[in-house]
Amino acid sequence: MKQMLRTLFAIACFALATSATAQNIQFHYDFGRNIYSGEESNRQKATVTLEQFKADPLGSWYYFVDLDLSRHFMEGVYTEISREFNLGKQSPFAAHIEYDGGLRHNTGSFQQAALIGGAWNGHTADFSKTWSVQVLYKQYFKSYDSTHAYASAQLTGVWGLNFFNNKLTFSGFIDFWRGEKANGHGCLVILSEPQLWYNFTQHFALGTEWEFSNNFVYNTDPNSGKTFFWNPTLAAKWTF
């Protein structure tokens, strides 16, 4: 669930219609290591995510922190924090800057990256549908011995849909970016994490997240050339 969760715009735009701020905590039980017992044998069993969006007169702040948990210890901590500056009071366009990074027990850190670019944000009049498209320059930094700095680019789409009298929320994101394989060759990385929530109250929801990825998950089986993975979760969410 690294690089996850830009439920951001779904929550963010709904928040703008109410208090202009939103914060939630999520617990996800992950079935990835059960589905791919060889390729994902070291995948976390559970992830706790804290995320927050806050709007201000200049734009907005957004961040999330993932805590990946196993039975014996914390596998890793990953965060993304971004700032957007509105390009005009009524304009749907914004300037976007972002930092991605974190720590994990087996390598010491995730490879850090900084992103800068533009965003196009929109919503329907009642905020029941929201969307965002971001085109970003992405700079990776050398973070541990087997990594090196290199330039990349990322295209991100984010969506949110509230329906059934706001009892159901379908939200998520999809990222496309240029990554690098262990041999230094470039590759297209695709990561998407759609979520479906049933909102029992305005604070409490149960649901699921399905992570689809290609060239993203570290494959621990040396005899498998698999690059595409589907990692579903069962989840609970509390919105403050």
Side-chain angles (χ1 to χ4, degrees):
M1 227 168 290
K2 301 146 183 87
Q3 281 229 336
M4 109 180 226
L5 227 74
R6 288 155 249 175
T7 345
L8 117 161
F9 212 68
I11 295 172
C13 282
F14 181 76
L16 284 171
T18 53
S19 62
T21 185
Q23 185 177 30
N24 70 78
I25 188 168
Q26 304 177 20
F27 176 83
H28 293 260
Y29 184 85
D30 196 296
F31 293 96
R33 63 188 294 149
N34 303 108
I35 299 173
Y36 308 104
S37 57
E39 294 91 345
E40 292 193 299
S41 59
N42 63 350
R43 187 174 177 86
Q44 73 277 358
K45 290 181 177 292
T47 297
V48 175
T49 297
L50 176 67
E51 70 175 347
Q52 183 175 28
F53 170 87
K54 183 174 178 58
D56 57 49
L58 296 179
S60 63
W61 285 97
Y62 171 78
Y63 77 87
F64 74 80
V65 179
D66 281 345
L67 308 177
D68 293 336
L69 309 175
S70 67
R71 180 178 299 177
H72 303 292
F73 45 73
M74 186 180 298
E75 296 282 348
V77 180
Y78 179 81
T79 186
E80 294 185 7
I81 181 168
S82 64
R83 170 72 195 186
E84 289 197 352
F85 295 95
N86 298 329
L87 301 178
K89 289 185 177 180
Q90 303 299 323
S91 173
F93 299 102
H96 181 105
I97 57 174
E98 182 177 330
Y99 166 80
D100 303 346
L103 302 173
R104 55 183 174 182
H105 85 274
N106 55 345
T107 62
S109 70
F110 293 96
Q111 188 167 10
Q112 299 181 91
L115 300 90
I116 186 168
W120 173 58
N121 304 321
H123 58 83
T124 56
D126 61 356
F127 288 85
S128 62
K129 299 180 180 66
T130 61
W131 58 88
S132 177
V133 178
Q134 301 158 16
V135 180
L136 305 169
Y137 169 80
K138 189 172 189 177
Q139 178 63 49
Y140 279 99
F141 303 100
K142 180 177 175 61
S143 299
Y144 46 93
D145 288 343
S146 61
T147 65
H148 65 278
Y150 68 94
S152 180
Q154 181 169 304
L155 174 65
T156 292
V158 187
W159 72 88
L161 173 64
N162 294 313
F163 56 101
F164 195 48
N165 198 27
N166 290 327
K167 283 296 184 181
L168 288 175
T169 299
F170 177 58
S171 59
F173 73 90
I174 185 167
D175 286 338
F176 304 87
W177 76 90
R178 179 189 180 276
E180 286 195 355
K181 298 180 180 179
N183 60 10
H185 291 173
C187 62
L188 175 64
V189 183
I190 303 173
L191 176 65
S192 184
E193 293 181 357
Q195 297 182 338
L196 181 65
W197 297 99
Y198 183 83
N199 305 305
F200 288 90
T201 71
Q202 64 177 334
H203 298 292
F204 179 68
L206 292 177
T208 182
E209 176 183 274
W210 288 13
E211 179 190 278
F212 299 96
S213 67
N214 193 59
N215 288 322
F216 177 71
V217 170
Y218 176 72
N219 190 336
T220 59
D221 183 353
N223 299 315
S224 171
K226 188 174 182 61
T227 62
F228 177 83
F229 292 87
W230 165 61
N231 294 302
T233 75
L234 285 179
K237 177 172 67 174
W238 181 266
T239 300
F240 298 95

